[in-house]
Amino acid sequence: MNHEYDRLYIDGEWRNPSSAQSLSVVSPYTERAIGHVPLAGPADVNAAVAAAAGALRSTGWGTLDPAERADVLERFADELEKNAAERAELTTIQNGMPISISTPAEGYGPVGILRYYAALARALPLEETRDRLDGNGQTVVRRQPIGVVAAVVPWNFPQVLTMFKLAPALAAGSTVVLKPSPETTIDALMLAETAHRAGLPAGVLNIVTGGADVGEYLVAHPGVHKVAFTGSTAAGRKIGEVCGRLLRPVTLELGGKSAAIVLDDADLASTVEGLATASLLNSGQTCYLSTRILAPSSRYGEVLDAVAALAGALPIGDPMDPATAIGPLVSERQRQRVESYIELGKKSGATIAVGGGRPSADTGWFVEPTVFGNVDNGAEIAREEIFGPVLTVIPYRDIDEAVAIANDSDYGLGGTIWTADPAKGLELARRVETGTVGINYFDLDIGAPFGGVKASGLGRELGPEAISAYSEIKSIYLPRLDS
Ligand code: NAD
């Protein structure tokens, strides 16, 4: 089925774009075009930002009673639940994510996030009155919408990463201009159709399409009040520079090179079963994955063999097949990047325990899950984000050295600890320099903040904390009202 779009969703309607140029969206499994989307130009971005600003004023989204906003978000969630399977399939055919992952994450994930923020919009007060510390009156601390949000998202989890931004922004009363990735634009346009059906007021969500140039124009636009970005560290640095110059608030969710610390008491069978998702979810194209596996020297050979056996046994193939664990990588360019890291790994003196090549398949940008042993933490394959199914297994002598290796990274996004003693795992988790850590599993909790330290980003998404990221706080000093 072909997905053809020739109009942009701006100000609550489908508009002709300013240019006739279009983008082709290609399936990484068949390597064939699955549809076309229009390419937005500066005039379209200007119109989208103006619409988002207008919605703050004219329809009063920002001043609406939060409970009324929550009603709209709940209707949006109900509509998204109806087409969850269809949106999950769209993600899979665009980026190759195995359908067993896209159905819960991309199909239903956004539904739960919206309902959570709708409930928060109802529950969290907009104002709090505090007695002044000097005793001379009171201060009303008031939360107001930050304004127009530029949301720029990547292709790896397009629906759910969009909702990480959209749901708290809308709950806070802000409005959004979304710039999806060129690889995954069709699902974003379906999201707009769904929002429209749910009765989201005009201008509250607008979508501009295109590549990095459209994103650059949007984040620097004078009408934008806040930037929320998920993507590579390289692009995040550029966006951070622009926002620094403009003194514009920004949230950056960037890359990672997280560590799995396998303790000497860990049960290997359940550890390896957990690593299948904690280290290889979405064919290795997930930002928080534990791609450096730290094994005690005393059990090094055993851990390496078990991880290699796991990686070698994962079913590779058609991402629409529910049995598939490893699908194709998103693009030919991404496969080249991953393969160039495999070559670097070989040159570094590390040894391939399994994988390293391409599986036999007529079409599709596949790379075999690959595990390197004898890896030094200073090697490029241990330091740089590969964003494919490539794991490194690194030995450590004692717990202090394991923590030192885990923390010896430019990144700090995720991480896992595998142990028979979760209390010991918690102790260790406190010492790992990263935004999130899982003990014996890794799965985001939408009620708790998610994000990274160091080159993994700035700020946090999810949890009640995300409401603050889309709000301005105002203090109003006044004489005591009750006197
Ligand atoms: P990317 O940085 O190339 O692109 C991400 C998005 O930003 C795309 O929409 C792109 O068009 C746009 N863009 C690129 N350069 C820009 C610029 N200078 N100004 C404005 N917009 C720009 O990343 P990608 O290849 O699409 O995604 C993979 C990367 O995303 C990986 O590094 C991964 O770790 C990271 N990621 C991070 C998280 C997280 O939460 N920390 C989650 C998922 C992915």
Side-chain angles (χ1 to χ4, degrees):
M1 179 184 165
N2 259 32
H3 300 269
E4 302 297 336
Y5 284 87
D6 57 5
R7 288 183 296 163
L8 295 169
Y9 188 69
I10 294 174
D11 208 10
E13 56 183 25
W14 292 91
R15 288 192 184 172
N16 287 324
S18 58
S19 94
Q21 281 181 289
S22 70
L23 279 170
S24 174
V25 181
V26 176
S27 152
Y29 179 57
T30 64
E31 303 178 22
R32 295 228 179 98
I34 47 175
H36 295 86
V37 294
L39 189 59
D44 303 309
V45 178
N46 294 345
V49 173
L56 282 169
R57 291 189 300 269
S58 60
T59 63
W61 181 252
T63 50
L64 211 61
D65 186 292
E68 287 178 54
R69 282 203 290 266
D71 289 342
V72 177
L73 295 190
E74 276 159 4
R75 283 205 304 275
F76 190 6
D78 292 346
E79 287 298 323
L80 284 171
E81 195 167 34
K82 290 182 200 159
N83 64 14
E86 208 183 334
R87 283 180 301 97
E89 282 178 18
L90 259 185
T91 293
T92 292
I93 64 165
Q94 291 173 105
N95 73 1
M97 177 185 293
I99 193 77
S100 62
I101 302 166
S102 57
T103 299
E106 290 279 294
Y108 291 96
V111 178
I113 296 171
L114 261 178
R115 288 191 177 138
Y116 170 69
Y117 281 101
L120 277 184
R122 286 187 207 286
L124 295 179
L126 285 181
E127 291 189 353
E128 183 196 324
T129 304
R130 302 179 190 173
D131 287 336
R132 286 181 62 101
L133 277 188
D134 61 12
N136 294 327
Q138 292 178 313
T139 300
V140 172
V141 178
R142 178 175 170 73
R143 181 164 52 79
Q144 300 189 164
I146 203 162
V148 174
V149 175
V152 180
V153 296
W155 44 260
N156 62 335
F157 283 84
Q159 287 281 303
V160 81
L161 291 173
T162 294
M163 202 49 84
F164 277 19
K165 297 158 183 57
L166 189 57
L170 300 191
S174 291
T175 57
V176 173
V177 178
L178 170 69
K179 209 295 284 172
S181 245
E183 293 84 352
T184 48
T185 300
I186 298 171
D187 64 287
L189 296 172
M190 184 184 269
L191 187 78
E193 287 168 346
T194 315
H196 192 78
R197 261 201 309 281
L200 202 69
V204 170
L205 168 65
N206 309 273
I207 310 225
V208 292
T209 54
D213 53 338
V214 179
E216 275 175 42
Y217 185 79
L218 172 64
V219 300
H221 197 285
V224 165
H225 302 104
K226 150 98 193 180
V227 175
F229 173 75
T230 298
S232 62
T233 294
R237 278 190 208 285
K238 285 191 199 159
I239 292 169
E241 281 174 19
V242 170
C243 292
R245 181 163 47 78
L246 297 171
L247 296 180
R248 180 167 294 171
V250 60
T251 307
L252 300 172
E253 299 292 357
L254 310 177
K257 191 76 191 179
S258 304
I261 304 180
V262 181
L263 294 186
D264 56 6
D265 66 357
D267 170 62
L268 216 45
S270 57
T271 297
V272 162
E273 198 186 316
L275 287 175
T277 50
S279 298
L280 285 165
L281 184 76
N282 194 22
S283 317
Q285 300 168 119
T286 309
C287 52
Y288 57 66
L289 295 180
S290 297
T291 51
R292 293 181 297 147
I293 297 169
L294 313 190
S297 305
S298 57
R299 298 185 70 188
Y300 183 76
E302 202 190 334
V303 173
L304 180 62
D305 289 350
V307 174
L310 155 82
L314 292 172
I316 306 178
D318 181 353
M320 286 299 290
D321 181 342
T324 294
I326 300 286
L329 299 183
V330 69
S331 62
E332 196 166 15
R333 190 170 63 103
Q334 188 68 14
R335 178 166 71 177
Q336 275 164 8
R337 177 188 153 90
V338 172
E339 289 181 337
S340 72
Y341 274 108
I342 293 175
E343 287 311 308
L344 276 176
K346 289 184 198 160
K347 285 189 194 131
S348 74
T351 50
I352 290 190
V354 74
R358 295 179 183 178
S360 57
D362 294 339
T363 62
W365 294 308
F366 290 98
V367 173
E368 285 173 342
T370 301
V371 177
F372 279 101
N374 296 315
V375 182
D376 186 286
N377 195 50
E380 276 138 322
I381 53 165
R383 300 210 72 81
E384 295 177 21
E385 182 180 58
I386 298 175
F387 228 54
V390 181
L391 303 180
T392 56
V393 185
I394 302 171
Y396 69 83
R397 282 188 304 274
D398 55 31
I399 287 197
D400 286 346
E401 193 184 38
V403 172
I405 297 172
N407 292 345
D408 178 14
S409 173
D410 294 336
Y411 295 103
L413 185 57
T416 44
I417 293 164
W418 305 86
T419 174
D421 181 355
K424 190 162 80 181
L426 175 60
E427 251 334 278
L428 196 54
R430 295 191 173 108
R431 298 173 60 193
V432 180
E433 291 164 6
T434 178
T436 54
V437 194
I439 295 160
N440 293 338
Y441 75 111
F442 191 99
D443 196 7
L444 299 196
D445 172 8
I446 59 176
F450 170 76
V453 300
K454 301 192 272 185
S456 292
L458 288 178
R460 295 289 180 268
E461 298 196 297
L462 299 181
E465 287 81 359
I467 297 275
S468 319
Y470 298 99
S471 306
E472 282 293 1
I473 309 291
K474 180 192 275 184
S475 290
I476 306 170
Y477 313 126
L478 71 166
R480 189 169 281 282
L481 288 180
D482 52 11
S483 60

